[in-house]
């Protein structure tokens, strides 16, 4: 339901003899990404999501999730009073990432387009925190996820009031801290982004 609501198509494996031969339950539980990617090639996916669910009591289910996206692995947990609630919460978090990642970048002549790199984002909770924070900023009209790395995310922002207004908004909070500029930045350089780049790191 979460995938349908977000407009993200989801395909479940057939689990026929070929799938059962290519992928073991232990591969999923052990998080063996290479085996999971290899077994998924027959479906030609843009991303792969796996889940592991355990019942801890009559009213407690917990799940561990992994999203394989563009060579990266994003890991998060969910829980709920029922199997369905635990699954729904976990899938919803995954859909948040996918919907932002594959959403087209929309131009807006009344706003400025800026690129924002944030380091220190190491898991799905960090990503959710950053996304929620950006959309709460008065200067930000739209925030599109441009790329995800093991320790960083890049956003393309549509900003009202320009770069100065965005920097002022960020400075008023204690969520993001300025990061080293290009040349001293230890993060992977952005490949000709085409927009001014602002660099920050997520406060722990």
């Amino acid at each position: 339901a979460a995938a349908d609501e977000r407009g993200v198509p989801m395909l479940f494996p057939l689990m026929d003899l070929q799938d059962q031969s290519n992928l073991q339950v232990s591969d999923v539980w052990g998080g063996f990404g290479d085996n999971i990617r290899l077994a998924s090639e027959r479906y030609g996916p843009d991303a792969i999501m796996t889940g592991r669910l355990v019942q801890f009591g009559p009213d407690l289910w917990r799940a561990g999730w992994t999203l394989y996206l563009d060579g990266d692995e994003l890991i998060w947990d969910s829980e709920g009073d029922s199997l369905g609630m635990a699954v729904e919460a976990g899938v919803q978090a995954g859909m948040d990432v996918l919907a932002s990642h594959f959403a087209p970048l929309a131009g807006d002549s009344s706003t400025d387009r800026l690129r924002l790199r944030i380091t220190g984002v190491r898991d799905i909770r960090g990503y959710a925190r950053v996304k929620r924070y950006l959309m709460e900023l008065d200067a930000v009209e739209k925030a599109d996820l441009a790329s995800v790395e093991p320790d960083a995310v890049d956003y393309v922002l549509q900003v009202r009031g320009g770069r100065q207004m965005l920097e002022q908004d960020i400075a008023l909070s204690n969520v993001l801290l300025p990061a080293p500029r290009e040349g001293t930045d230890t993060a992977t350089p952005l490949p000709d982004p085409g927009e001014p780049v602002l660099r920050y790191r997520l406060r722990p």
Side-chain angles (χ1 to χ4, degrees):
D4 293 336
E5 291 173 1
R6 303 300 296 272
V8 178
M10 180 176 287
L11 178 66
F12 289 92
L14 298 174
M15 292 312 298
D16 55 12
L17 291 178
Q18 181 176 342
D19 281 343
Q20 294 178 45
S21 175
N22 291 339
L23 189 67
Q24 307 298 316
V25 173
S26 57
D27 292 323
V28 177
W29 278 96
F32 296 112
D34 290 342
N35 294 349
I36 292 170
R37 288 188 176 93
L38 184 62
S40 302
E41 284 183 354
R42 65 183 296 202
Y43 299 101
D46 294 310
I48 306 165
M49 189 165 73
T50 63
R52 304 171 302 280
L53 293 104
V54 178
Q55 185 175 15
F56 284 86
D59 298 316
L60 179 59
W61 286 80
R62 289 177 178 165
W65 305 89
T66 303
L67 180 66
Y68 301 89
L69 178 63
D70 292 344
D72 295 322
E73 297 182 13
L74 300 175
I75 299 172
W76 69 98
D77 299 318
S78 66
E79 64 179 48
D81 295 339
S82 66
L83 172 63
M85 291 178 65
V87 171
E88 183 74 12
V91 172
Q92 185 67 57
M95 294 306 103
D96 286 343
V97 177
L98 291 174
S100 295
H101 183 79
F102 293 110
L105 300 180
D108 187 339
S109 59
S110 65
T111 60
D112 290 334
R113 181 180 169 103
L114 300 173
R115 189 149 183 149
L116 178 67
R117 159 159 286 221
I118 303 173
T119 57
V121 183
R122 298 182 175 87
D123 54 31
I124 196 72
R125 291 186 180 88
Y127 162 78
R129 180 185 172 197
V130 166
K131 178 69 173 181
R132 183 171 58 251
Y133 167 72
L134 291 177
M135 295 312 300
E136 289 174 351
L137 293 176
D138 292 337
V140 175
E141 181 170 297
K142 186 175 177 62
D144 289 308
L145 185 66
S147 66
V148 178
E149 297 177 14
D151 186 51
V153 291
D154 295 333
Y155 280 91
V156 174
L157 307 179
Q158 298 290 346
V159 178
R160 292 182 290 266
R163 175 173 180 162
Q164 183 177 1
M165 182 64 71
L166 176 62
E167 290 178 329
Q168 289 176 353
D169 270 4
I170 293 176
L172 292 174
S173 72
N174 62 352
V175 176
L176 300 181
L177 298 174
R181 297 294 180 181
E182 190 169 4
T184 58
D185 195 347
T186 58
T188 303
L190 296 177
D192 189 22
E195 302 91 18
V197 181
L198 301 179
R199 287 175 167 80
Y200 286 86
R201 63 181 175 87
L202 181 64
R203 184 189 292 270

